[in-house]
Amino acid sequence: MSVDQTPVRGRLDKRQAILDAAFRVFAEHGYERASIDAIAAAAGVAKPTIYNHLGGKENLFRAVMVNSAEQFNARTLAALDAFPADPGDPDALRAALVDVGVRLGGCIADDRALAMQRLLLAESRRFPDLFAAVRGSGRDRVHDALAGRLARLAHAGRLDIADPVCAADQFVALISGDLPVLAMMSGTSVRAQDLRRSVESGVDTFLRAFAA
């Protein structure tokens, strides 16, 4: 006999709705000025519901940041699925790296991702352990996955890389270096043409250093 999962599903959906609403309130007002009342109103739930699902404000903020980081990590890891195994000639390699760079850059410059970074930085003194855990776990997973893909290209003779982990760090730094500034200058999402221009510049610099 199957077990009805509707109550569990409903509880998970309500929890996610609270987390999403809390993220919007924290991003707009900051931790100090955000209130459980405002979060409950944004989520369309009663105030006690938040306490039942996620506890008080501090625990809620931690859950929000972890949840946001998990979503960001999932998007960035999915972006790496397009990474070429062996694109062939140098032009195809550049085009493939630009494509992956645009996907990664789109994740990095996403409004939610930038808001998450601002919140983590703003509250790093209040939550130093959370800052280190969220930044470290996501960065390690993405960079390790990227390093593995770069290592395969090096093994195929397409890149000349002695340290794939270092090369992965440099690839991400090169394609994303201008994106936070562009986002702050525009006040909204980075324009597609600006994102592509930043990525192409970073990829060209990367290939000048590592092309076989």
Side-chain angles (χ1 to χ4, degrees):
M1 179 183 297
S2 63
V3 177
D4 185 3
Q5 296 295 315
T6 302
V8 175
R9 181 71 263 168
R11 182 176 176 83
L12 292 174
D13 289 345
K14 182 169 289 187
R15 184 179 191 277
Q16 188 60 51
I18 293 170
L19 290 172
D20 290 339
F23 180 88
R24 295 193 300 270
V25 174
F26 282 129
E28 182 178 355
H29 300 291
Y31 178 83
E32 190 67 37
R33 293 193 296 123
S35 69
I36 297 296
D37 288 323
I39 293 168
V45 300
K47 187 175 177 180
T49 302
I50 294 180
Y51 289 110
N52 290 337
H53 279 266
L54 292 152
K57 182 177 172 180
E58 179 177 329
N59 192 64
L60 176 59
F61 183 80
R62 290 180 179 276
V64 164
M65 291 294 99
V66 170
N67 179 256
S68 298
E70 288 174 348
Q71 293 180 3
F72 173 77
N73 294 338
R75 291 196 303 271
T76 51
L77 289 171
L80 292 178
D81 289 342
F83 206 94
D86 187 358
D89 63 76
D91 288 340
L93 174 60
R94 180 186 183 276
L97 290 177
V98 168
D99 180 53
V100 171
V102 168
R103 292 169 186 263
L104 282 175
C107 295
I108 294 169
D110 176 74
D111 289 343
R112 187 181 178 99
L114 292 172
M116 180 184 71
Q117 292 179 44
R118 287 193 292 267
L119 274 172
L120 283 173
L121 288 171
E123 303 301 333
S124 59
R125 289 189 177 182
R126 193 190 306 270
F127 301 99
D129 58 323
L130 180 63
F131 178 85
V134 169
R135 296 275 295 186
S137 63
R139 180 185 181 279
D140 290 346
R141 289 175 61 195
V142 173
H143 285 230
D144 285 349
L146 177 57
R149 287 159 173 78
L150 291 175
R152 286 200 293 270
L153 285 178
H155 183 72
R158 304 303 178 186
L159 295 173
D160 183 10
I161 294 175
D163 185 345
V165 174
C166 180
D169 290 343
Q170 292 171 334
F171 182 83
V172 173
L174 287 168
I175 66 164
S176 63
D178 293 337
L179 297 183
V181 175
L182 291 172
M184 286 189 293
M185 289 175 62
S186 65
T188 57
S189 301
V190 176
R191 297 184 304 171
Q193 60 266 38
D194 292 334
L195 170 60
R196 188 169 190 86
R197 186 161 49 247
S198 177
V199 169
E200 287 180 340
S201 175
V203 167
D204 288 339
T205 301
F206 182 83
L207 288 174
R208 281 195 292 272
F210 296 111

